[in-house]
Amino acid sequence: MDTLPTHMVAVHLTGHGGLEKLEYRDDVPLPRPAAGEVLIRVGAAGVNNTDINTRLGWYSKVVKEGTNSVGEAGTNPINDDDASWSGTPMTFPRIQGADCCGRIVAVGDGVSSARLGDRVIVKNMLRSYVAHRPYECWTFGSECDGAFAQYTKAPAREVYPVICSWSDAELASIPCAYSTAENMLHRANVSAGETVLITGASGGVGSAAIQLARRRGAEVIATTSASKAAAIMALGAHRIVSRDADPLEVVGPRQVDVVLDIVGGEMSAQRIETLKAGGRYAVAGAIAGPLINLDLRVIYLRDLTVFGCTFQEDAVFENLVSYIERDEIRPLVSQVYPLSSISEAQQDFLNKGFVGKLVLTPPQEQNR
């Protein structure tokens, strides 16, 4: 630690609300790794829905609309007591950033110094801080500080070395989006020969889900806009459904084995209607809106299974690392921004004019 700076550049989230709640600072004290933790010099950090949803306070039960409907002014009013993804109040200021790629530069007590210099990614759903209890976790950058900074710390057991030729920006695209997609596939037990309907296919989670479903040998029907259809087909989708179309009319009833729903909104009930008897519906997002009008008879008369997908078993992230090192997947990075342009990156994220991931890079010079 003696050779490291005392302060660093970071983005502080100062409260729930619009982009004005993001403060780019160069005087933030350097974090110090506690026992069992490592300090990481951040190389790149991905932009995700959870960062924006948390900033806006969208997780609060008083919000009934999708993320884009909330707008950059934030929701007024929101209930601060349930405005984080976990339903517990946020602590401010908070350094967000669920995606992290970087190198270990210091270790806490009980961590081998042999880990110094490792290029790593951080598991975004942390279990160490809740003693690995089932269905409990902290989101990196929500319940603890994350990667929108020059340096960050995390539990050593949940920081994974990765040996590959990828850029930092590519590796920083993996933790949140790819673990979310892999978790949905894992929970729904998708297997070769099955047909999978994936919503939000042009985003980070959707584009990851296409690759990961294809890796399992599934046939992919992807929902996206016409302008992005060619790019989504190039990622491996077998068929495109317009995001504005009724999936029940286009795909038909009882045609799909699994629905991976990242978008939610009013079409979710129709997506469920596309499932065959015994089908599975996995949901991990609701950016188009959290409320749907669902006929429960479809669920029980067709013996459907519904999976809410947030908590992740350790195997999910471990599998992702193995896929990277075996060159079985590759993220699509649409654009890289300096950390100082976080507001522009988040606005571009909300505008959805891209395919794949948006990534931030902090300044690499050390502040002393």
Side-chain angles (χ1 to χ4, degrees):
M1 292 290 293
D2 291 342
T3 61
L4 295 172
T6 58
H7 291 78
M8 65 176 183
V9 164
V11 176
H12 272 170
L13 177 67
T14 60
H16 296 297
L19 293 168
E20 77 283 352
K21 297 295 184 180
L22 297 173
E23 290 189 357
Y24 183 82
R25 304 180 63 97
D26 62 3
D27 59 351
V28 178
L30 193 77
R32 303 188 71 87
E37 294 181 333
V38 296
L39 182 68
I40 300 162
R41 180 183 292 120
V42 178
V47 179
N48 292 286
N49 272 312
T50 188
D51 305 314
I52 297 171
N53 286 342
T54 297
R55 171 172 60 75
L56 292 172
W58 178 85
Y59 292 109
S60 176
K61 296 296 190 297
V62 304
V63 180
K64 309 299 183 185
E65 302 84 21
T67 303
N68 282 359
S69 298
V70 172
E72 271 311 316
T75 301
N76 186 23
I78 63 167
N79 181 359
D80 286 337
D81 290 340
D82 71 346
S84 71
W85 77 270
S86 64
T88 57
M90 285 282 291
T91 300
F92 300 108
R94 171 65 69 219
I95 299 172
Q96 293 185 285
D99 281 336
C100 179
C101 170
R103 290 191 180 273
I104 296 176
V105 294
V107 298
D109 291 343
V111 181
S112 171
S113 61
R115 299 206 59 181
L116 292 171
D118 282 354
R119 190 163 75 134
V120 296
I121 55 177
V122 178
K123 185 179 177 184
N124 56 300
M125 307 302 288
L126 300 172
R127 301 186 64 199
S128 295
Y129 296 128
V130 291
H132 277 241
R133 292 187 295 270
Y135 296 104
E136 291 188 44
C137 50
W138 284 11
T139 294
F140 190 58
S142 180
E143 283 67 47
C144 60
D145 285 341
F148 292 162
Q150 285 179 304
Y151 294 86
T152 189
K153 65 176 184 176
R157 66 188 298 181
E158 298 186 281
V159 172
Y160 290 77
V162 184
I163 300 172
C164 69
S165 60
W166 293 12
S167 68
D168 286 351
E170 287 176 310
L171 274 178
S173 300
I174 291 293
C176 188
Y178 276 74
S179 71
T180 298
E182 177 68 7
N183 189 44
M184 297 172 83
L185 291 157
H186 177 80
R187 296 280 293 279
N189 195 27
V190 173
S191 59
E194 293 192 305
T195 300
V196 180
L197 173 62
I198 299 171
T199 68
S202 65
V205 180
S207 60
I210 292 170
Q211 295 178 60
L212 292 166
R214 284 295 306 268
R215 183 197 162 275
R216 290 171 178 250
E219 181 170 334
V220 174
I221 303 173
T223 300
T224 192
S225 62
S227 63
K228 299 173 182 175
I232 298 308
M233 292 293 287
L235 280 175
H238 296 90
R239 182 181 173 190
I240 299 296
V241 174
S242 171
R243 69 178 185 184
D244 299 321
D246 183 331
L248 184 58
E249 293 182 359
V250 178
V251 177
R254 301 173 184 259
Q255 297 298 310
V256 173
D257 296 290
V258 179
V259 171
L260 304 184
D261 197 354
I262 306 148
V263 173
E266 61 183 12
M267 289 295 182
S268 290
Q270 288 92 320
R271 294 175 196 127
I272 291 172
E273 290 265 21
T274 68
L275 287 167
K276 301 175 183 177
R280 291 95 75 198
Y281 173 78
V283 57
I287 60 171
L291 304 182
I292 67 171
N293 184 14
L294 175 64
D295 187 339
L296 288 175
R297 291 169 293 190
V298 176
I299 301 291
Y300 75 81
L301 291 175
R302 211 175 293 178
D303 290 292
L304 304 182
T305 303
V306 176
F307 297 95
C309 300
T310 293
F311 172 82
Q312 299 172 9
E313 298 287 353
D314 295 344
V316 169
F317 209 83
E318 293 164 1
N319 287 342
L320 284 177
V321 173
S322 71
Y323 302 160
I324 295 167
E325 295 189 334
R326 294 198 300 265
D327 200 27
E328 295 178 352
I329 57 174
R330 194 74 180 244
L332 177 60
V333 177
S334 177
Q335 189 168 344
V336 179
Y337 306 74
L339 183 61
S340 58
S341 297
I342 186 171
S343 293
E344 178 188 352
Q346 289 198 358
Q347 188 59 62
D348 287 348
F349 187 97
L350 286 168
N351 291 341
K352 303 299 181 188
F354 64 96
V355 176
K357 287 284 289 188
L358 304 182
V359 178
L360 297 164
T361 55
Q364 294 304 301
E365 70 273 16
Q366 296 180 3
N367 295 335
R368 295 187 183 275

